[in-house]
Amino acid sequence: MRRFLTTLAIILVVVVTGMTALILLINPNDFRDYMVKNVENKTGYQLKIEGDLRWHVWPQLSILAGQMSLTAPGASKPIIGAENMRLDVELFPLLSHQLIVKSVVLKGGVIQLIPETQSQKLQNAPIAPAGTHVTKSPAESTASDWSLELSKVRIADSLLVWQRSENDIINIRDINLTLTRTDTRKADVTAKARINRDQRELSFSLDGGLNLNHFPQGLELAVNNLDYQLQGADIPVEGIQGNGSFNLAYLSSPPGMKISPLALTFNGNHITADISASLDDTPVYTLAVKADTLNLDQLFPPAVAKDNSEEGATTSAKETPAPVTSSANGLSVQPDLSFLQTFNAQLDLEVNNLVYHGVSASSVVMKGSNQQGNAVIDSLQAVIAGGAVKATGTIDVTSAVPKITVKPTMQNVALGDLLKTLNYPQTLTGAVTAQGTFNNVNSNINDFEKGWQGYAHINIEQARLHGLNIQQLIQQAASRSNSDVKGMEHYERYTEVKNLVVDTVFNQGQLKVTRMNGASELLTVAGTGVLNLPAKSCDMKLNINVTQGWQGKSDIVSLLQKSVIPLRIYGPWNKLNYQLNVEQILKDQLKGEVGKAIDKWLDKNKDKQESKDIQKLLEKLR
């Protein structure tokens, strides 16, 4: 037993001594030139490692390096830099001259995707003559006898700087990325990072697989699981969060990419999409999106109405207001649509059920295209508020001020629900059939009330003006003027017109009614007027003829049934005022009737002296 233990101890000492000697005899700096040369030969990038390489034995055999950088050919700045680099290697393969790196760890890395780090073609670069022999350095000659095998790459606590344009830079922070090789040119990917921009933060994590079989001509990325959350300014309190999966294929020549299928959830909504792009000088994008249910109120919650008890105070479902922006001339910043000039695109959108401001729309289909700033809405249609809505339009952003034209049509749409969607009081309801044309008048395209104009022809079936019964106003005013007539015993709290036809002209918040005609069993209405949309008020001048509901003396009733009563309705929509003078109308009507009767009697008795005396008296009175 003692001999066995002694033999075992001797073997262990020999092995440990041999391993220690191997590590001491192998200088890790012998690999420096080898790694630099291999990186340059395979990618053209220049790898720079500062300081000496050194072994680190416990708890993992590793090669430690100081600061490192990777620079593209002709670039003025490195595309990747790191505070330190660690290569975890396996011990026993060193005996057979194999450098198997289990993992490469970059700590505190900075990845810069900016113009200064992009590859540049060197002008007048010298070309070595054919057959020229390049002498290797001693360290490179020593390292060239080794073979390198890489198993894992890990980037920890790093930063990615991505400059898309001169004034558009995105910083992706706290990047933790791991690539684990599963085959010769395949790897598993796990990543986690966060993006801060405009007082908003997007954090995400993903895992998937990377296929480099066709690299550098192309690569494929399959993301099995993506989790994300967006929070910050102008975002709902609970944020926008969800998960997804997608397959991405990229080609370098001709440059292009395809994401298909993309499955994404956010706040309980689920969409699928196919995206493809040709990334030439003028990119061409094709986007097809489908969704079963899409609730936009979960992304853009409607603001809660103001509380009268606290003047000017409002509450909303948003925790943080949108970022404060300004322009040189002090005007509010409007959306910059000039980006449409930089690409061509085709969009197909299908949503089975859409919810916005509590109003549901179904069978939403949109088809559109863009040709370098000339965008066309070929068709937009939906079933909304019990009716059908369709629209076409054009967007031209090739000039300083964009030119937008929209031509909507609707059929049997519930007007009350439409007003609710537009955040207006539901003072007028009915089934609307309409068609019109609208276009912007300035760059203030965000505000329909201030930046748009157009016209529309509107037909409203079963129109109801809530809170005001015009028949009641007129009949009660008539009964106060003349006790021989009265109206109905009971009135509704609204005015109903079975068919109301309206022609309108809209200009920056002022809706001018150029013609209005309507009729019901009880009355007829005609008139003109103006609706002030920003102030939510109106000033309408109507001519009303109440044909039914009169009671009393037949001659007075007959007179009133033939009378056209001027009525002015004005003031805020939720508190309408009216101006009505039935008494004067009745006096004028009665005066006219009496005058007609006298003239008729005089005509019959014109030869009599009494008739002549009355005629003279009337002439004096006139």
Side-chain angles (χ1 to χ4, degrees):
M1 186 65 176
R2 179 180 293 180
R3 288 182 179 181
F4 174 74
L5 294 175
T6 301
T7 303
L8 184 61
I10 293 172
I11 295 174
L12 183 61
V13 170
V14 171
V15 171
V16 172
T17 302
M19 291 181 178
T20 304
L22 179 63
I23 294 174
L24 293 176
L25 291 174
I26 299 174
N27 185 356
N29 290 285
D30 293 343
F31 305 116
R32 182 196 300 271
D33 290 346
Y34 169 71
M35 290 187 291
V36 170
K37 199 66 178 178
N38 269 274
V39 170
E40 185 174 6
N41 289 338
K42 292 184 178 182
T43 66
Y45 285 71
Q46 182 65 44
L47 174 65
K48 182 179 180 181
I49 303 174
E50 297 182 5
D52 292 333
L53 303 180
R54 60 192 186 276
W55 290 110
H56 182 75
V57 179
W58 184 261
Q60 166 69 48
L61 181 61
S62 306
I63 298 176
L64 301 181
Q67 290 188 352
M68 63 79 61
S69 63
L70 188 66
T71 306
S76 59
K77 292 183 180 181
I79 190 171
I80 299 177
E83 296 175 359
N84 55 70
M85 179 175 65
R86 189 183 85 228
L87 287 78
D88 297 334
V89 303
E90 295 187 5
L91 174 62
F92 288 105
L94 294 174
L95 299 174
S96 58
H97 278 216
Q98 283 187 320
L99 180 62
I100 297 181
V101 180
K102 293 194 294 185
S103 65
V104 175
V105 180
L106 299 179
K107 179 74 172 178
V110 177
I111 306 169
Q112 301 184 88
L113 300 179
I114 59 178
E116 291 84 353
T117 66
Q118 301 303 307
S119 177
Q120 303 292 329
K121 185 177 181 180
L122 299 178
Q123 296 182 354
N124 302 322
I127 302 175
T132 301
H133 177 72
V134 180
T135 304
K136 297 180 179 180
S137 66
E140 186 179 350
S141 299
T142 304
S144 65
D145 297 330
W146 292 78
S147 63
L148 177 63
E149 186 176 347
L150 186 63
S151 298
K152 181 185 290 186
V153 175
R154 187 164 71 90
I155 300 175
D157 303 330
S158 299
L159 168 69
L160 170 62
V161 180
W162 180 18
Q163 182 174 347
R164 302 190 300 174
S165 63
E166 184 177 355
N167 298 315
D168 187 5
I169 300 178
I170 298 176
N171 294 324
I172 305 177
R173 306 180 185 276
D174 298 337
I175 298 175
N176 288 275
L177 171 66
T178 302
L179 297 173
T180 305
R181 195 181 70 173
T182 58
D183 201 347
T184 306
R185 297 177 70 82
K186 294 182 179 181
D188 287 338
V189 181
T190 61
K192 182 184 294 185
R194 61 184 181 88
I195 304 173
N196 293 102
R197 184 177 175 85
D198 295 335
Q199 301 180 33
R200 303 179 182 94
E201 179 177 282
L202 173 64
S203 57
F204 67 90
S205 63
L206 63 85
D207 60 78
L210 182 64
N211 187 340
L212 299 175
N213 280 328
H214 304 291
F215 187 82
Q217 288 76 23
L219 60 84
E220 297 177 1
L221 174 64
V223 174
N224 303 319
N225 184 54
L226 168 68
D227 293 314
Y228 69 93
Q229 183 174 27
L230 177 63
Q231 292 181 311
D234 207 30
I235 302 297
V237 175
E238 65 277 8
I240 299 174
Q241 55 187 330
N243 54 67
S245 62
F246 61 88
N247 292 328
L248 182 148
Y250 172 78
L251 288 177
S252 60
S253 182
M257 61 174 290
K258 184 175 183 180
I259 301 177
S260 177
L262 168 65
L264 193 66
T265 65
F266 50 92
N267 293 17
N269 299 283
H270 181 268
I271 66 171
T272 59
D274 291 327
I275 305 171
S276 62
S278 173
L279 304 177
D280 291 323
D281 293 338
T282 302
V284 179
Y285 301 102
T286 302
L287 176 61
V289 181
K290 293 184 179 181
D292 183 49
T293 300
L294 189 59
N295 190 340
L296 296 181
D297 287 347
Q298 295 176 345
L299 301 180
F300 314 105
V304 178
K306 289 186 178 182
D307 185 357
N308 295 331
S309 62
E310 298 180 10
E311 184 177 356
T314 52
T315 59
S316 75
K318 299 175 183 177
E319 185 178 59
T320 309
V324 177
T325 56
S326 62
S327 60
N329 57 11
L331 300 175
S332 60
V333 176
Q334 294 299 315
D336 184 6
L337 299 179
S338 61
F339 72 94
L340 293 173
Q341 302 179 32
T342 61
F343 65 90
N344 299 330
Q346 184 72 40
L347 171 65
D348 290 318
L349 173 67
E350 295 182 16
V351 181
N352 290 335
N353 295 285
L354 178 70
V355 178
Y356 181 63
H357 281 199
V359 177
S360 298
S362 60
S363 303
V364 180
V365 177
M366 178 180 177
K367 295 183 182 295
S369 62
N370 177 54
Q371 295 292 325
Q372 292 183 271
N374 287 300
V376 177
I377 302 175
D378 298 308
S379 66
L380 172 61
Q381 57 187 32
V383 176
I384 180 172
V389 175
K390 297 181 180 180
T392 59
T394 59
I395 304 174
D396 183 359
V397 296
T398 57
S399 57
V401 178
K403 300 176 182 178
I404 305 174
T405 301
V406 180
K407 296 182 178 180
T409 62
M410 60 181 68
Q411 187 172 7
N412 296 326
V413 173
L415 179 58
D417 292 340
L418 184 61
L419 292 174
K420 179 181 178 182
T421 303
L422 298 174
N423 200 28
Y424 292 127
Q426 300 178 60
T427 306
L428 184 64
T429 61
V432 178
T433 296
Q435 59 183 7
T437 299
F438 299 91
N439 60 273
N440 66 310
V441 293
N442 52 46
S443 58
N444 193 7
I445 60 177
N446 258 0
D447 195 335
F448 180 76
E449 295 175 349
K450 295 180 180 179
W452 290 79
Q453 68 179 10
Y455 61 89
H457 176 76
I458 304 171
N459 188 298
I460 308 176
E461 296 290 338
Q462 303 297 328
R464 284 187 178 183
L465 177 63
H466 294 271
L468 184 67
N469 191 312
I470 295 176
Q471 177 194 5
Q472 180 182 10
L473 292 179
I474 294 175
Q475 290 184 337
Q476 288 182 346
S479 63
R480 288 194 297 269
S481 300
N482 193 321
S483 59
D484 293 332
V485 68
K486 62 179 181 177
M488 300 170 61
E489 296 293 333
H490 173 72
Y491 293 96
E492 301 291 347
R493 295 278 300 169
Y494 56 81
T495 300
E496 184 175 63
V497 178
K498 285 190 175 182
N499 183 269
L500 186 64
V501 178
V502 183
D503 286 328
T504 63
V505 175
F506 178 77
N507 186 21
Q508 295 177 286
Q510 303 297 314
L511 184 64
K512 185 177 181 180
V513 178
T514 59
R515 181 176 72 97
M516 175 189 291
N517 289 296
S520 69
E521 296 177 351
L522 301 177
L523 56 82
T524 62
V525 58
T528 60
V530 176
L531 280 73
N532 188 325
L533 301 186
K536 294 182 174 60
S537 64
C538 69
D539 189 351
M540 299 294 299
K541 296 178 180 179
L542 308 177
N543 293 316
I544 310 297
N545 177 213
V546 180
T547 58
Q548 301 294 329
W550 296 103
Q551 300 180 47
K553 288 187 176 181
S554 59
D555 54 343
I556 304 296
V557 169
S558 178
L559 175 63
L560 290 171
Q561 286 177 331
K562 298 175 183 178
S563 300
V564 176
I565 311 297
L567 172 65
R568 181 189 176 201
I569 300 178
Y570 62 97
W573 296 348
N574 56 359
K575 193 177 181 181
L576 293 173
N577 301 306
Y578 68 92
Q579 188 176 46
L580 179 68
N581 192 349
V582 178
E583 182 177 357
Q584 184 61 43
I585 297 296
L586 288 175
K587 287 182 179 179
D588 292 341
Q589 291 281 2
L590 289 174
K591 183 178 178 181
E593 293 295 327
V594 171
K596 289 179 181 179
I598 292 175
D599 290 339
K600 185 178 181 180
W601 183 88
L602 290 175
D603 186 59
K604 288 182 178 180
N605 302 276
K606 57 183 177 179
D607 295 331
K608 297 181 179 180
Q609 183 60 38
E610 183 180 0
S611 175
K612 294 179 181 179
D613 294 339
I614 295 175
Q615 184 69 33
K616 292 180 181 180
L617 177 62
L618 289 175
E619 289 177 357
K620 291 181 180 180
L621 291 175
R622 291 171 182 172

